[in-house]
Amino acid sequence: MPLTADAADTETDVADLVTLARAGDRQAFVSLVSTHYDFVYRTAYRWCGNRSDAEDVAQEVSIKLAAAIAAFDGRSKFSSWLYRITLNAVRDMQRARARRGRHVTALAEVSPQSAPPEQEDAAATRQLWAAVRALPDKQRDAVLLVYAEDLTHAAAAEIMGCREATVSWHIFEARKTLRGFL
Amino acid sequence: MSTEPNIDPLARLGGIEAPAADAAARTRAIAAATAAFEKESSPGAQGKRWGERLKSIFPTFQGNWIMDTRIPIATAAVALLLLPLGYQLYSTTSMTPPVVQQPAVAPAPAPEPAEMGEEADTAAEVPVAAPEPVMAERAKTVVVPQSGAASPTMDMEAMPAPAPMAPSLMATGMAAPADAMMAMPEASGDAFAAFDEQPVKSVAEEPVSTFSIDVDTASYSYVRRMLEDGQVPSPDAVRIEEMINYFPYDYAAPEDAETPFASTVALYPTPWNPTTRLLHIGIKGYEPPVAVDRPSNLVFLIDTSGSMDEPDKLPLLKRAFRLLVEQLSDNDTISIVTYAGSAGVALEPTSAGDKAKILAALDNLWAGGSTAGVEGIELAYQLAEKAKVEGGVNRVILATDGDFNVGISDPQELEDFIAQKRGSGVFLSVLGFGAGNLGDDTMQSLAQSGNGNASYISSFREAQKVLVEEMGGTLETIAKDVKIQVEFNPAMVSEYRLVGYETRTLNREDFNNDKVDAGEIGAGHTVTAIYEVTPAGSDGALIDSLRYGSDEPAAGGNSDEYAFLRMRYKLPDSDVSQLIETPVTAEVAYDDITSAPADMRFAAAVAAFGQKLKGSVYAGDMDWQTIRALAQGARGKDEAGYRAEFVQLVDLAASLRPDR
C-alpha cells in the first residue's frame, strides 16, 4: 500500500498533530507515532526484507522522531519526511551490519528468513527483491520508491532530495544492472 | 525468464506486502519513543534551559549591584553551569536507561529550517549516537572475554535488540544482574523452523524407528558463533545431530567401495540418566586410498555480482579456491564460469597441473564484472559435459552469496534442470558466502537436487575444513539416499528416544521405498545417531506398560539382541537400494561409560551439551562441569583441535547460563 492511502485523508490531522507535538504535547506525539508506526514498519520491511530488521528500524525511527520532530518544518509532506528518516535508518543499519559481517554470517547460516510463501510466484519476486536490494544505495532507493511504493518520479525525487531527472537516471542505471535478471 | 513477459518485471516489486507488524514490537517502539519524547520536552530535567536562566540573571543584576558582589555572582554562575553538567555526566553513566541521551551541551535545537534533507539527517543522528557507549559498556560486563578485538560498536550490536530491554530496565531503575539478563535465549532476529524434541516411544507400541541420515553441520557453527558472541542460541537453532556430526570420529572404515560404508554400534550407560543406556550408531563412509587418483572435472560457477564485493565473499572465495586448487593434480580439470548480470567463461577447461593459469584466472575475477554470454548454469554444465571424465568426479560447484540469478529464475525449474543433469552424471555442490540475502533453503534444495552438499564458508578456517580436510566428502558422493531403520527388541528394551534428527524422521514404510529421497554420504564422512534406550524391566521407564500388551519377544528375534539395525543406500549411479543389516547384541555393550571408546564418550558429551542448551526435558539437569569433564576426557588425538574448541564452548555456555 503506497503511503498516500495513509496520509491523504488525514493530512490536516497529521499537520495538527505535528504542530502540537512540536510544541511538546505528549498525547499528540504518541498518536502521531502510533498512526505512522505501521507505515514505517512496512517501508522498512520492503527495504530490509525481513521482519526483525524492519521492527528494529521502525523502533529506531520512532525514537528518532522524538528529537527530530522539532526540526520538521512542514515545507514537505510529513510522510515524505518520514520516508527519508526511515531510509536513513535502514541505511545506517545496513552499514553497521556490513561492519560486523562475521556476526551476520552466523545469523544467516542456519535459517535465512523467507518472504511470505503464499503468493504466486513469490519465489521469483523474492529473487527480484534480493537483486534490487543488492543495488547501489541510490539506485535501490529510486527503484523501490517508484516501483514498490508506487510513487511518481517527482515524489521520489523529493524524498531522495534530488532532481526528478536524477531519479529517472538512477532507475535507468538500475535497469541496466538488473538487465540479466529482468 | 519472467513469468509475465508483457508486464514490466519491476512492477512485481509491489507484490510483496509486509507481514503485519508484531503488536508487542509496536508497543515497545511507541513506549520507547514516548519516553524519548518526554526526555526531550521536559524542562530542566536535562538542564537544557540553564542558558535562559543565566541570561535572565545577568541583565537584572548588572548595574544594580556594586563591583564586590560580582564574585559571588560569578560563583553562582559557575555553580549554575556546573550543576547541570554534573548531572549530565552522572546521568550518562550506566545508571541511566540507554534509550535516549541528550548530548552533554544541548541547547534546544534551533527550529530555523535549513535545507530539509540535511536537517533531518543531523537531527536524526543525535539520539542514536548517544546510547552506543552505554550499551557497549553494559554488554562488555556480561560478554565473556573472547576474541578481544571487539570494538564497542560490535559489542553493542552483538547484543540483540537493545532497545526493547530499556523499558524493563527503566522500571527497575538498575541494570538486572548479568546472569539473569543473559540466561534467556535472546531473540537473535533469526527465524528457525520450529520442531519438537523427539519423544520417548514405547517399544511395545512402536518398535521401529526410521530416519534419514544428515551430514549437515551448520547448526554447530551457528551455536558456536552465538556463544562466542555471548548469547544463548534459541532452542530451535540447536539441532543436536548436526552438532554431533560436526566432529570427525574414528570409526572403522569399510574395506572397499562396493560396501560404501561401515557401521559401528555400541551400547553404554547414559551419562545424564542412570537408568538408561545410549545406543550409539556410527557410520563411516568409504574413503578411496590416496593412491587411487580419480580424475576430477570441476566447474566453478562463481557469482560475481556487485554484492559479492565484500571481504567475506569474493576475496574469501578466491583464497578458498586457491586451497582447493592446491589439492588437485594433473589429471584434474578446472573451469570457471562467472555470472552476474550475464554469464561468461573466465577459464576454459584447464588441467589442474597448470596452476599458474588457474590462479591467474581466479585473480582476474572481480565483483561487479560481467561478461556477455549465455546463461550461467547452462554454460557451466556445457563446460562440465565438454570436459567430462568417465569414472571420475564431474561436478559443478556453485559459489554464491544468495544471488541465484544463474539463468533460470523459477526455483522449481532450476531444481529440475539440476536433477536432470544429475542423471547424466554431473553433480552440483553449493558453497554459500557472506550473509544477507542467502537462502539456506534454496541452497539446500539445489544441492540435494544435484546430489551434492551445501556448505557455508564463513571464514578461512571453515574453508580449510570443507575444501581440504573434507574435500573427499565434499566432492565425491559414495552413497545416496541413506536411510536408517532400527527395530528394538521388546524383550530387551522397553522405551527408546532418538536424540536429534527431529527434522529427518521418515515413515516406517518409506524405508523400503526407493522413491523416497534421503541423505547422501560423501567419501570419508562420518555420521552418528544416538538413541537413549531404557532396558526392559528397568524402573526408569517413563511409559507404563500396556495392561493388555503381550510380553512375547518379536517372532524370529534373537532374545539376546537389543535391536536390529537396517541401513538402506544406493550407490551413486544406481537407482536401486541395497540393504545392510546388523544386529545389536550384548557384545557391543559396555557396563561403564569410562570403558567405552573415546569417540562414543565425546559424542555423548556433545549430545548432553546440545540437550542442556536446548533445555531438553530429558537431559536438562546434567551440570556443565560433568559435561565438560566427559568431553575433556574424550578428546582423543583431536588433531584439528575441534574437540578442544568444544570444551571451551562448554565453558562459555556455563558462564552464560550457570547451573542453578
Side-chain angles (χ1 to χ4, degrees):
Chain A
M1 181 167 45
L3 77 148
T4 43
D6 250 40
D9 48 341
T10 58
E11 196 139 344
T12 38
D13 293 358
V14 169
D16 291 343
L17 285 179
V18 169
T19 315
L20 286 172
R22 285 187 57 193
D25 183 331
R26 178 176 175 278
Q27 204 49 49
F29 177 76
V30 170
S31 61
L32 193 63
V33 171
S34 318
T35 47
H36 286 84
Y37 177 89
D38 283 346
F39 162 73
V40 172
Y41 164 79
R42 274 202 311 275
T43 310
Y45 182 89
R46 292 203 196 89
W47 252 254
C48 310
N50 77 65
R51 189 174 174 151
S52 66
D53 284 355
E55 278 169 4
D56 286 355
V57 168
Q59 169 153 338
E60 186 137 318
V61 169
S62 303
I63 295 173
K64 273 181 178 180
L65 270 182
I69 190 74
F72 174 65
D73 58 9
R75 278 200 308 192
S76 59
K77 275 203 308 214
F78 181 72
S79 50
S80 309
W81 182 74
L82 194 54
Y83 246 125
R84 194 181 165 79
I85 294 187
T86 309
L87 253 61
N88 286 339
V90 168
R91 195 164 310 152
D92 288 351
M93 188 195 68
Q94 284 168 348
R95 283 197 192 126
R97 175 150 300 186
R99 286 200 296 274
R100 54 161 180 168
R102 204 177 88 88
H103 300 274
V104 177
T105 311
L107 303 186
E109 237 179 67
V110 171
S111 76
Q113 303 179 338
S114 40
E118 68 271 17
Q119 297 182 10
E120 224 174 90
D121 86 339
T125 309
R126 193 175 71 191
Q127 289 189 339
L128 178 61
W129 269 96
V132 168
R133 289 194 188 105
L135 288 172
D137 284 352
K138 289 242 158 90
Q139 292 180 20
R140 182 196 58 187
D141 289 355
V143 167
L144 291 186
L145 285 172
V146 170
Y147 289 99
E149 307 290 349
D150 216 2
L151 298 176
T152 62
H153 286 208
E158 193 193 346
I159 289 161
M160 293 177 64
C162 62
R163 289 182 307 129
E164 194 175 335
T166 318
V167 171
S168 311
W169 184 77
H170 282 316
I171 286 173
F172 174 69
E173 283 298 301
R175 278 187 184 280
K176 251 180 18 189
T177 316
L178 294 172
R179 188 182 49 208
F181 198 85
L182 299 180
Chain B
M1 340 191 348
S2 167
T3 45
E4 308 153 324
N6 297 325
I7 297 175
D8 181 357
L10 280 178
R12 286 202 318 239
L13 286 174
I16 284 191
E17 191 60 62
D22 179 25
R26 190 173 193 276
T27 317
R28 271 201 308 272
I30 293 170
T34 311
F37 186 76
E38 277 165 6
K39 273 261 157 67
E40 194 68 34
S41 54
S42 66
Q46 297 283 322
K48 77 183 189 184
R49 301 278 161 96
W50 57 262
E52 290 170 20
R53 250 178 265 145
L54 275 183
K55 269 185 216 134
S56 66
I57 288 171
F58 273 109
T60 322
F61 286 41
Q62 229 167 21
N64 292 348
W65 288 46
I66 55 170
M67 292 241 326
D68 289 356
T69 57
R70 286 191 186 167
I71 292 167
I73 289 175
T75 317
V78 166
L80 279 169
L81 255 171
L82 285 181
L83 268 173
L85 277 176
Y87 177 78
Q88 189 61 48
L89 284 172
Y90 168 77
S91 62
T92 45
T93 63
S94 57
M95 301 287 288
T96 327
V99 187
V100 171
Q101 290 295 327
Q102 277 298 302
V105 181
E112 208 53 45
E115 171 64 32
M116 170 224 126
E118 276 173 34
E119 193 163 79
D121 258 349
T122 43
E125 294 310 327
V126 168
V128 228
E132 210 164 74
V134 181
M135 281 309 292
E137 204 175 287
R138 206 176 45 182
K140 266 184 193 141
T141 60
V142 290
V143 169
V144 170
Q146 26 151 336
S147 61
S151 73
T153 328
M154 280 175 66
D155 276 359
M156 188 199 79
E157 282 158 353
M159 293 281 295
M165 261 182 208
S168 66
L169 287 178
M170 249 185 281
T172 56
M174 292 288 281
D179 62 331
M181 234 172 74
M182 297 307 297
M184 42 187 180
E186 275 300 343
S188 58
D190 301 325
F192 294 93
F195 59 86
D196 291 331
E197 201 174 10
Q198 299 262 18
V200 167
K201 289 182 177 156
S202 158
V203 175
E205 288 167 27
E206 213 175 317
V208 177
S209 162
T210 312
F211 63 95
S212 152
I213 61 142
D214 177 8
V215 295
D216 291 344
T217 56
S219 179
Y220 181 75
S221 328
Y222 178 81
V223 166
R224 181 179 59 200
R225 295 231 173 86
M226 290 297 273
L227 289 174
E228 283 175 352
D229 288 350
Q231 297 173 37
V232 178
S234 86
D236 286 337
V238 181
R239 293 202 287 269
I240 296 170
E241 75 278 12
E242 297 194 8
M243 297 183 68
I244 296 174
N245 285 334
Y246 182 86
F247 301 94
Y249 298 97
D250 193 18
Y251 299 137
E255 304 288 313
D256 54 61
E258 290 310 304
T259 44
F261 53 85
S263 62
T264 305
V265 181
L267 193 70
Y268 50 89
T270 307
W272 58 82
N273 186 343
T275 59
T276 62
R277 292 173 161 213
L278 294 185
L279 172 59
H280 182 118
I281 302 168
I283 296 171
K284 168 97 176 165
Y286 176 70
E287 195 161 16
V290 187
V292 184
D293 186 8
R294 291 178 71 193
S296 306
N297 161 34
L298 306 179
V299 179
F300 296 145
L301 177 55
I302 300 180
D303 179 357
T304 53
S305 61
S307 62
M308 288 291 282
D309 190 17
E310 283 175 29
D312 60 344
K313 294 180 181 175
L314 194 58
L316 175 62
L317 185 153
K318 286 183 182 179
R319 285 186 290 148
F321 276 176
R322 200 176 288 262
L323 280 182
L324 184 65
V325 170
E326 296 295 334
Q327 301 287 308
L328 301 175
S329 64
D330 286 0
N331 61 1
D332 300 324
T333 327
I334 287 187
S335 335
I336 301 177
V337 175
T338 62
Y339 72 93
S342 48
V345 180
L347 181 71
E348 289 285 344
T350 303
S351 160
D354 197 352
K355 289 202 167 57
K357 188 176 168 192
I358 295 170
L359 295 181
L362 211 51
D363 280 339
N364 280 334
L365 297 180
W366 54 282
S370 59
T371 353
V374 280
E375 325 256 46
I377 196 136
E378 286 176 26
L379 193 55
Y381 274 103
Q382 273 171 25
L383 287 188
E385 298 286 342
K386 189 167 152 192
K388 190 167 179 182
V389 286
E390 292 301 330
V393 175
N394 294 286
R395 192 174 287 267
V396 172
I397 300 175
L398 169 61
T400 180
D401 67 342
D403 182 5
F404 290 101
N405 169 23
V406 287
I408 301 173
S409 63
D410 178 31
Q412 191 53 49
E413 205 181 309
L414 186 55
E415 273 179 40
D416 292 347
F417 178 79
I418 291 167
Q420 173 213 332
K421 291 293 180 183
R422 176 185 76 197
S424 74
V426 181
F427 291 174
L428 177 89
S429 285
V430 185
L431 301 179
F433 287 84
N437 57 355
L438 187 47
D440 176 68
D441 42 358
T442 317
M443 275 183 50
Q444 301 280 353
S445 63
L446 290 189
Q448 268 166 28
S449 309
N451 267 10
N453 36 23
S455 315
Y456 278 97
I457 310 293
S458 52
S459 65
F460 195 65
R461 185 181 152 88
E462 208 62 30
Q464 171 98 10
K465 185 171 188 282
V466 171
L467 293 177
V468 179
E469 289 164 35
E470 297 170 358
M471 185 185 78
T474 306
L475 295 184
E476 198 174 333
T477 303
I478 55 158
K480 58 184 185 180
D481 293 347
V482 183
K483 303 166 193 169
I484 293 182
Q485 187 164 62
V486 180
E487 180 182 347
F488 292 96
N489 180 356
M492 301 292 282
V493 177
S494 63
E495 290 169 9
Y496 69 91
R497 176 175 73 90
L498 178 57
V499 178
Y501 290 94
E502 285 88 354
T503 56
R504 297 280 173 157
T505 46
L506 294 176
N507 293 329
R508 184 173 171 181
E509 62 273 19
D510 292 342
F511 185 70
N512 290 329
N513 184 350
D514 284 354
K515 296 254 175 351
V516 175
D517 190 52
E520 274 73 42
I521 290 189
H525 268 158
T526 55
V527 181
T528 302
I530 295 179
Y531 281 95
E532 182 177 355
V533 298
T534 311
S538 156
D539 54 4
L542 293 173
I543 303 174
D544 293 331
S545 57
L546 290 175
R547 180 179 168 91
Y548 306 110
S550 120
D551 288 338
E552 301 283 312
N558 216 330
S559 62
D560 64 342
E561 283 175 13
Y562 286 93
F564 198 71
L565 169 66
R566 298 188 184 89
M567 293 182 287
R568 274 207 178 275
Y569 66 93
K570 295 176 196 161
L571 288 172
D573 44 6
S574 160
D575 285 329
V576 183
S577 69
Q578 308 195 35
L579 184 63
I580 299 180
E581 294 179 313
T582 322
V584 181
T585 61
E587 283 171 30
V588 297
Y590 298 88
D591 287 337
D592 188 351
I593 188 164
T594 51
S595 58
D599 279 342
M600 315 287 170
R601 298 201 307 271
F602 189 78
V606 178
F609 177 70
Q611 294 181 110
K612 189 167 174 68
L613 215 50
K614 275 179 90 67
S616 157
V617 292
Y618 300 108
D621 50 359
M622 188 173 176
D623 64 28
W624 296 114
Q625 202 49 48
T626 319
I627 296 175
R628 185 189 196 281
L630 187 61
Q632 177 80 14
R635 277 182 305 159
K637 269 194 292 184
D638 191 24
E639 275 157 2
Y642 300 132
R643 295 187 182 187
E645 184 189 66
F646 173 78
V647 172
Q648 289 167 10
L649 217 53
V650 177
D651 289 341
L652 268 184
S655 58
L656 289 173
R657 190 154 60 186
D659 290 311
R660 297 186 201 291

